[in-house]
Amino acid sequence: MDAIDEIDKKILEAINDRAHKEWVFSVNVKSALKLEKKVLLDHLIRLKELGYINTQSGSYTEGHLILKNGLNQLQLTDLGRSVQRKK
């Protein structure tokens, strides 16, 4: 398993705090962590590639709820939830 950094762990925690098994809007995670968009996107893409999160992209009727790369919802995978259990 690839190592994740502190920002990754904070992102996973923010997703977990908002929706343990359901989908959460990416902008809500961004707002909670007060991260710049590029930083958040870089970490989200990496977390997805490593299997910690699922993402949904596309349009949503409330366009302001979509990050510029189209990621609009995030969900923890079993692997992502396992990080939360280890705390």
Side-chain angles (χ1 to χ4, degrees), residues 57-87:
S57 57
S59 60
Y60 181 76
T61 55
E62 300 292 327
H64 65 280
L65 294 176
I66 300 173
L67 293 176
K68 288 188 179 199
N69 71 341
L71 293 179
N72 63 352
Q73 292 194 56
L74 312 168
Q75 179 187 50
L76 292 178
T77 62
D78 288 340
L79 181 60
R81 281 189 290 281
S82 73
V83 172
Q84 297 303 301
R85 287 191 293 266
K86 291 178 184 177
K87 290 184 357 178

Side-chain angles (χ1 to χ4, degrees), residues 1-84:
M1 176 183 355
D2 288 5
I4 58 174
D5 65 21
E6 288 304 311
I7 294 175
D8 294 330
K9 290 176 185 175
K10 287 180 182 180
I11 291 169
L12 294 174
E13 182 177 356
I15 295 169
N16 187 63
D17 288 349
R18 281 148 191 77
H20 182 67
K21 291 188 178 185
E22 302 300 323
W23 293 93
V24 62
F25 285 110
S26 54
V27 294
N28 292 339
V29 173
K30 179 188 174 301
S31 295
L33 298 175
K34 296 177 175 46
L35 292 174
E36 298 213 7
K37 284 183 184 178
K38 179 163 179 17
V39 172
L40 178 63
L41 292 174
D42 289 347
H43 284 271
L44 291 178
I45 291 167
R46 183 168 179 276
L47 288 168
K48 180 181 178 184
E49 290 171 352
L50 293 173
Y52 289 93
I53 62 171
N54 293 317
T55 62
Q56 287 185 351
S57 57
S59 60
Y60 181 76
T61 55
E62 300 292 327
H64 65 280
L65 294 176
I66 300 173
L67 293 176
K68 288 188 179 199
N69 71 341
L71 293 179
N72 63 352
Q73 292 194 56
L74 312 168
Q75 179 187 50
L76 292 178
T77 62
D78 288 340
L79 181 60
R81 281 189 290 281
S82 73
V83 172
Q84 297 303 301

